[in-house]
Amino acid sequence: MSEEKRHTIQTQLLAWYGQNKRDLPWRKNKDPYRIWVSEIMLQQTRVDTVIPYFERFMKLFPTVEDLANAPEEQVLKAWEGLGYYSRVRNLHQAAKQIVHEGDGKIPSDKKSILKLKGIGTYTAGAVLSIAFDQKIPAVDGNVMRVFSRLFAIEEDIASGTTRKKMESLVERVMPEEAPGDFNQALMDLGATICTPVSPGCLLCPVRSVCEAYEKGMEEQLPVKKKAKPPVQQEMVMVFFQHQNLFIGEKRPEQGLLAGLWGLPTFEIPKGDHHLTIIEKFCKENRIPALNYIIKGEFQHVFSHRHWKVTVVEVELKNTGFDLPTSWSWLEKEKREEKTWANVYHKAFKTERKKV
DNA sequence: CACGCGTGGGG
DNA sequence: TCCCCAAGCGT
């Protein structure tokens, strides 16, 4: 790479950022805790979605100590609807590490910060450069896209080796001064101008040194392998209820919607009928079901699974029987408080519909 | 290194 | 309606 190209990217990008940077709540100061929380929320998640969550989260847990001392239920609740829930479980765990095992401060060296759950190469670079002014790359999807175009890199950006290559490129281009601004400028450029489709090249501050623009291949880059299609699954969610009580299920600590409260959910084997599954389950577990009512169905798409969910109401004769360990009786009034993913809220909507 | 892990928005 | 995504990480 020529010295001229490096210089152009540095100066043009920083100048552009000075004029065009977005006014975002986590940019009000350089508090490492705020930067950290914002970076975790922003993983695979759009800025507009994150903003209200960030504001609420900071009111609830203004410092890392507040977060560490908060009950897990409250922390998970604050993340409700944001998705990728392992992020918040890791965040909470890391806060406890910092407060109870460390000195109560976010580590400012790469080796230590990478030991925290939920902080990988990208997030470490973002926090260290933005909050601690260290010259460390923060290569996310935006930066990969910008650099794959600037240098016409046709390798699959999903591969690990390509990302390493990008990191060393960014490292070479980064200025000594304002590394945090430089990283954020790259991300803002990727988010607002160097977009995945129909990029705004005519507005781009680094168009003059962009190889993809020169070759007219900005729409073809970056190269990214296609994800495989989601698995289709038929599910049943059940409202087991008796008087003002219903049964909630705490999901396993690992896997889909890990650790979240919701409704007992069953997968229907192909060719089976949903009521057959529920009836069999009740019989085997000596659950005193009085009747089964199909309330309706809805679709829910995860990144890698597609659920068709049938909602069933089961009236129970009494509460005097043993529940599976992950199930608990909850008050109906607390339904909305006790269910922490959008897929359950869809079930409530279906339930409230008239039959 | 491939896979699992949510959700809502835009073209 | 459909498809692509958006500031990744842990295993």
Side-chain angles (χ1 to χ4, degrees):
Chain A
M1 171 193 345
S2 71
E3 176 57 35
E4 187 199 338
K5 182 159 180 174
R6 171 162 54 227
H7 183 258
T8 303
I9 293 174
Q10 284 183 3
T11 54
Q12 293 301 110
L13 211 49
L14 284 173
W16 174 84
Y17 184 67
Q19 293 294 314
N20 298 283
K21 69 175 164 190
R22 292 174 287 178
D23 182 21
L24 302 171
W26 46 90
R27 287 181 176 170
K28 280 196 304 196
N29 58 45
K30 288 188 175 182
D31 178 356
Y33 170 68
R34 291 170 62 89
I35 306 292
W36 171 38
V37 171
S38 75
E39 289 300 338
I40 301 297
M41 286 189 171
L42 286 162
Q43 288 169 7
Q44 305 288 284
T45 310
R46 290 185 152 78
V47 166
D48 291 343
T49 306
V50 165
I51 290 173
Y53 280 92
F54 180 80
E55 306 271 28
R56 277 198 299 274
F57 204 90
M58 283 305 145
K59 273 191 188 140
L60 283 167
F61 319 111
T63 68
V64 64
E65 192 174 1
D66 296 318
L67 179 58
N69 293 329
E72 171 157 89
E73 297 224 337
Q74 195 191 359
V75 179
L76 281 166
K77 177 71 185 166
W79 208 267
E80 171 185 313
L82 197 49
Y84 284 136
Y85 298 93
S86 67
R87 292 184 293 175
V88 71
R89 298 160 64 76
N90 289 335
L91 182 69
H92 194 203
Q93 190 186 329
K96 287 181 186 170
Q97 278 177 254
I98 291 168
V99 170
H100 299 133
E101 295 164 31
D103 61 0
K105 294 184 171 158
I106 318 292
S108 59
D109 65 287
K110 197 166 178 180
K111 198 173 168 191
S112 309
I113 203 170
L114 277 171
K115 285 187 186 145
L116 297 174
K117 269 282 175 64
I119 298 193
T121 315
Y122 163 75
T123 307
V127 174
L128 294 177
S129 64
I130 298 170
F132 296 110
D133 296 312
Q134 295 178 28
K135 189 185 157 191
I136 300 175
V139 175
D140 67 346
N142 282 316
V143 177
M144 298 251 262
R145 185 169 58 254
V146 171
F147 267 66
S148 72
R149 287 173 176 164
L150 278 177
F151 296 91
I153 295 166
E154 298 182 49
E155 295 156 50
D156 178 11
I157 61 166
S159 99
T161 51
T162 308
R163 205 206 52 196
K164 283 210 174 70
K165 183 173 173 180
M166 299 279 187
E167 276 166 7
S168 72
L169 265 179
V170 174
E171 169 105 44
R172 277 195 278 156
V173 180
M174 280 182 90
E176 299 293 332
E177 300 296 313
D181 282 351
F182 184 79
N183 280 339
Q184 292 184 92
L186 280 175
M187 293 188 256
D188 273 23
L189 185 75
T192 63
I193 291 183
C194 196
T195 48
V197 292
S198 29
C201 296
L202 295 182
L203 298 171
C204 181
V206 290
R207 181 183 65 230
S208 68
V209 291
C210 182
E211 288 181 42
Y213 180 75
E214 190 185 341
K215 297 175 180 170
M217 56 189 297
E218 65 271 13
E219 295 272 10
Q220 275 64 39
L221 294 172
V223 174
K224 196 168 166 187
K225 208 174 52 181
K226 253 196 185 176
K228 63 175 191 182
V231 176
Q232 308 278 331
Q233 292 178 300
E234 299 214 7
M235 312 294 289
V236 189
M237 278 185 194
V238 188
F239 285 97
F240 290 106
Q241 48 191 328
H242 180 72
Q243 293 168 0
N244 72 325
L245 298 176
F246 80 108
I247 293 176
E249 176 192 43
K250 188 162 174 20
R251 295 184 57 92
E253 301 299 305
Q254 303 269 331
L256 186 70
L257 307 173
L260 268 60
W261 280 96
L263 294 165
T265 303
F266 303 83
E267 182 176 1
I268 311 166
K270 278 215 159 44
D272 247 327
H273 192 266
H274 27 269
L275 287 188
T276 318
I277 302 293
I278 304 301
E279 274 182 286
K280 194 170 144 203
F281 183 87
C282 289
K283 224 167 247 173
E284 284 172 0
N285 292 275
R286 306 187 181 290
I287 295 171
L290 288 173
N291 53 47
Y292 306 84
I293 304 167
I294 295 175
K295 304 293 288 188
E297 64 177 49
F298 65 91
Q299 311 273 331
H300 190 77
V301 178
F302 299 96
S303 51
H304 55 302
R305 298 184 199 193
H306 189 161
W307 280 3
K308 191 172 106 183
V309 184
T310 304
V311 180
V312 174
E313 183 184 298
V314 177
E315 195 70 36
L316 300 170
K317 199 185 299 180
N318 55 60
T319 59
F321 59 96
D322 290 334
L323 292 178
T325 52
S326 61
W327 292 13
S328 299
W329 288 105
L330 305 170
E331 291 170 33
K332 276 189 188 171
E333 299 73 45
K334 294 189 180 165
R335 280 178 184 188
E336 311 284 341
E337 288 171 43
K338 265 297 192 180
T339 52
W340 293 336
N342 289 1
V343 63
Y344 299 118
H345 295 166
K346 287 189 186 176
F348 290 127
K349 273 189 206 160
T350 304
E351 189 219 9
R352 282 192 293 267
K353 274 188 208 155
K354 290 193 177 151
V355 184

